[in-house]
Amino acid sequence: MERKLWLDKPEDGSQTEVGQLKGCHFLELEISSPQPTTTYQQMEGADGSKDMGTTYGPRTLSASFLIEGDDVFSFQQLQREVWLLFLSREAYYVRCSDNPGMRWLVHAKPFEYSVLDMLNKTFTVELEAFQGFAESVGTTLDPFTFDSELWQNGQGLIGEDFQYQFSNNKFSVYNAGDLLVDPREHELLITIEGQSEGATRIHNKTTGDVFVYNPVLLGTDVLTIDGPYPKINGLHCGRSTNHGLIRLATGWNDIEIHNAIGLQVSFLFRFLYH
C-alpha cells in the first residue's frame, strides 16, 4: 500500500496530502527516539546527587521524498510548491499512514534536493517536533470506532468501553496515552453543569489534585476548566477558586465531585505518546 503523509494547518483547518502534488512521492518517515534530560542537584556533604526530575526535549522526524518532473519548467514549479508547503512560518501537524491515529506538531528545517538527473531529485525534510511527543488525532469526545478514521492499533484503546461524559459524582477517566496530561501544557477542557450546595470541589484521587469553585452553582450555570483557566458561563473566574488544577495520570483516574447535584460532566483531551 502506498504510504501517505498529511500536513494539517491548525490556523485554517486545512489538510494537505503531500502526494497530491503531481510528481511528488512520499517514501518514508523516520522518527527519532525520545530525548530525556534528567537534572541532578548535588547536596553539600552528601554522597551522589539528588534526582530533580526528567523532562523530554524536541525530537526530529525525517520525511523522505522523490520528485519527478515532465520538463524543466514543471519541475521548477514543483520544487517551489514543495518549499511553500513545508517551509511555513506557523507550526503545523504531520501525520503518516504508518500511524494514522497520531500527529506531531512541527516546524521544518531548511532542506536541499539531491540530483538524480535533470528531472528527478530526492529530498529529506527534517521536521522538529518541538513538544517532544505525539498526540492522538481524535479527542475523547470523538467516536471510538475505527470507521471514524481517527484511531489506530497501539493507542491503548482495545477491549474497554471508555466514557468521557458522566452524570454522577463518582467516576473514572481513562488516559490511554504514555504521558500525564497537565492543563498548563496540554489541551484539557472539563465542563460541569448542575447545581451545588456550597463550593463545588473536584478531586482527582489518583493524582491528589483538587479544584474548588467557591460560589454556589445554579442550574443554569456552566463551569469550565479550560486548560489552566476556570470560567463560569464563559467568563474568567479564577478569583472565585482555590487556583487548583486537575491533571490526568496515565491509566485510570478516580474522580469525585463534592457538593453538586444533577451533574453533567465531560472531559475533552487528546492522548499523548512518546
Side-chain angles (χ1 to χ4, degrees), residues 51-87:
D51 186 346
M52 302 301 293
T54 299
T55 57
Y56 289 85
R59 297 165 70 177
T60 300
L61 284 62
S62 298
S64 300
F65 300 86
L66 166 69
I67 56 172
E68 302 173 304
D70 296 327
D71 52 49
V72 173
F73 176 76
S74 65
F75 189 75
Q76 291 178 344
Q77 287 295 105
L78 178 56
Q79 287 187 122
R80 182 173 177 274
E81 290 176 2
V82 169
W83 281 324
L84 290 174
L85 182 62
F86 282 101
L87 300 177

Side-chain angles (χ1 to χ4, degrees), residues 163-175 181 188 190-192 200-211 225 245-258 260 263-267 269:
Q163 295 183 0
Y164 296 91
Q165 294 175 293
F166 310 93
S167 57
N168 50 318
N169 292 65
K170 293 183 180 181
F171 50 85
S172 294
V173 175
Y174 187 66
N175 175 7
V181 175
L188 175 59
I190 303 172
T191 303
I192 301 172
T200 302
R201 183 173 182 268
I202 308 169
H203 182 198
N204 184 342
K205 295 181 177 180
T206 302
T207 62
D209 297 337
V210 175
F211 171 87
I225 310 173
L245 294 169
I246 298 296
R247 301 170 299 162
L248 297 173
T250 58
W252 290 102
N253 292 259
D254 294 325
I255 311 291
E256 186 169 359
I257 300 180
H258 301 267
L263 288 177
Q264 295 294 325
V265 185
S266 67
F267 282 71
F269 61 99

Side-chain angles (χ1 to χ4, degrees), residues 206-234:
T206 302
T207 62
D209 297 337
V210 175
F211 171 87
V212 180
Y213 176 69
N214 293 305
V216 171
L217 277 180
L218 305 177
T220 55
D221 287 332
V222 178
L223 173 64
T224 59
I225 310 173
D226 188 356
Y229 305 110
K231 300 176 184 178
I232 187 73
N233 302 321

